[in-house]
Amino acid sequence: LMNLIRDTLARARRLGERPPTFWPPTPLGHLPHFQSDPISFFARGYARHGDAFRLKMFGQETMVFCDAEHVRHILVDHVDVY
């Protein structure tokens, strides 16, 4: 899995591709929508873009991973890499 993620990221860099962005609807980014209903906020992002997407909150671009295997890979198995 780690090699697959590395290869995918390397390919994306070469081709200038990035995960889809759930663009902020307000100057404050996604914060107002996140604060009012965080569960439906992430559900909408997942419905529109799938397992991985970007968003902007607190002035920072953030990656969201919805697949449990990806989350485990990043936060448990290879925390030192990320």
Side-chain angles (χ1 to χ4, degrees), residues 7-75:
D7 293 347
T8 302
L9 290 173
R11 180 180 173 276
R13 281 189 211 106
R14 282 193 311 272
L15 299 175
E17 296 173 357
R18 300 187 68 187
T21 302
F22 191 23
W23 284 112
T26 72
L28 295 174
H30 289 100
L31 185 59
H33 297 282
F34 175 77
Q35 283 181 318
S36 66
D37 190 355
I39 300 297
S40 67
F41 170 77
F42 285 112
R44 280 193 316 274
Y46 175 77
R48 289 181 187 170
H49 302 296
D51 288 340
F53 57 92
R54 296 177 292 152
L55 58 87
K56 190 167 190 171
M57 198 177 306
F58 304 110
Q60 296 289 321
E61 187 175 275
T62 303
M63 292 289 304
V64 176
F65 295 95
C66 301
D67 183 91
E69 186 66 25
H70 293 154
V71 173
R72 184 178 62 74
H73 174 83
I74 293 167
L75 297 179

